[in-house]
Short mmCIF file of all heavy atoms in Angstrom, two decimals:
data_model
loop_
_atom_site.label_atom_id
_atom_site.label_comp_id
_atom_site.label_asym_id
_atom_site.label_seq_id
_atom_site.Cartn_x
_atom_site.Cartn_y
_atom_site.Cartn_z
N TYR A 44 1.61 29.46 0.40
CA TYR A 44 2.31 29.59 1.67
C TYR A 44 3.83 29.40 1.55
O TYR A 44 4.54 29.46 2.55
CB TYR A 44 1.73 28.61 2.69
CG TYR A 44 0.29 28.93 3.01
CD1 TYR A 44 -0.75 28.15 2.51
CD2 TYR A 44 -0.03 30.04 3.78
CE1 TYR A 44 -2.07 28.46 2.78
CE2 TYR A 44 -1.35 30.36 4.05
CZ TYR A 44 -2.37 29.57 3.55
OH TYR A 44 -3.67 29.89 3.81
N ALA A 45 4.31 29.21 0.35
CA ALA A 45 5.74 28.97 0.13
C ALA A 45 6.53 30.27 0.18
O ALA A 45 5.98 31.36 0.12
CB ALA A 45 5.95 28.29 -1.22
N SER A 46 7.83 30.13 0.27
CA SER A 46 8.76 31.25 0.19
C SER A 46 9.87 30.86 -0.76
O SER A 46 10.29 29.71 -0.79
CB SER A 46 9.39 31.55 1.56
OG SER A 46 8.43 31.95 2.49
N ILE A 47 10.33 31.82 -1.53
CA ILE A 47 11.51 31.58 -2.36
C ILE A 47 12.75 31.58 -1.48
O ILE A 47 13.67 30.80 -1.67
CB ILE A 47 11.62 32.64 -3.47
CG1 ILE A 47 10.49 32.46 -4.48
CG2 ILE A 47 12.99 32.57 -4.16
CD1 ILE A 47 10.43 33.52 -5.56
N ALA A 48 12.73 32.45 -0.47
CA ALA A 48 13.86 32.54 0.45
C ALA A 48 13.34 32.84 1.85
O ALA A 48 12.26 33.42 2.00
CB ALA A 48 14.81 33.65 -0.01
N ALA A 49 14.10 32.42 2.85
CA ALA A 49 13.73 32.68 4.24
C ALA A 49 14.99 32.81 5.07
O ALA A 49 15.99 32.15 4.80
CB ALA A 49 12.86 31.55 4.78
N ILE A 50 14.91 33.67 6.06
CA ILE A 50 16.00 33.81 7.03
C ILE A 50 15.46 33.34 8.37
O ILE A 50 14.45 33.84 8.85
CB ILE A 50 16.50 35.27 7.12
CG1 ILE A 50 17.09 35.69 5.78
CG2 ILE A 50 17.51 35.42 8.25
CD1 ILE A 50 17.47 37.16 5.70
N VAL A 51 16.13 32.36 8.94
CA VAL A 51 15.77 31.83 10.25
C VAL A 51 17.00 31.99 11.14
O VAL A 51 18.04 31.38 10.87
CB VAL A 51 15.35 30.34 10.17
CG1 VAL A 51 15.00 29.81 11.55
CG2 VAL A 51 14.18 30.15 9.20
N GLY A 52 16.87 32.85 12.13
CA GLY A 52 18.03 33.15 12.98
C GLY A 52 19.11 33.80 12.13
O GLY A 52 18.88 34.81 11.49
N ASN A 53 20.28 33.16 12.06
CA ASN A 53 21.36 33.72 11.25
C ASN A 53 21.64 32.85 10.02
O ASN A 53 22.73 32.88 9.47
CB ASN A 53 22.63 33.89 12.10
CG ASN A 53 23.20 32.55 12.55
OD1 ASN A 53 22.55 31.51 12.46
ND2 ASN A 53 24.43 32.59 13.03
N THR A 54 20.63 32.10 9.59
CA THR A 54 20.80 31.21 8.44
C THR A 54 19.80 31.56 7.36
O THR A 54 18.62 31.78 7.64
CB THR A 54 20.60 29.74 8.87
OG1 THR A 54 21.50 29.45 9.95
CG2 THR A 54 20.87 28.79 7.72
N ILE A 55 20.28 31.62 6.12
CA ILE A 55 19.40 31.91 4.99
C ILE A 55 19.13 30.61 4.24
O ILE A 55 20.02 29.78 4.05
CB ILE A 55 20.02 32.98 4.05
CG1 ILE A 55 19.02 33.38 2.97
CG2 ILE A 55 21.34 32.53 3.47
CD1 ILE A 55 19.43 34.62 2.19
#
Side-chain angles (χ1 to χ4, degrees):
Y44 296 105
S46 296
I47 292 175
I50 296 173
V51 179
N53 66 346
T54 305
I55 187 168

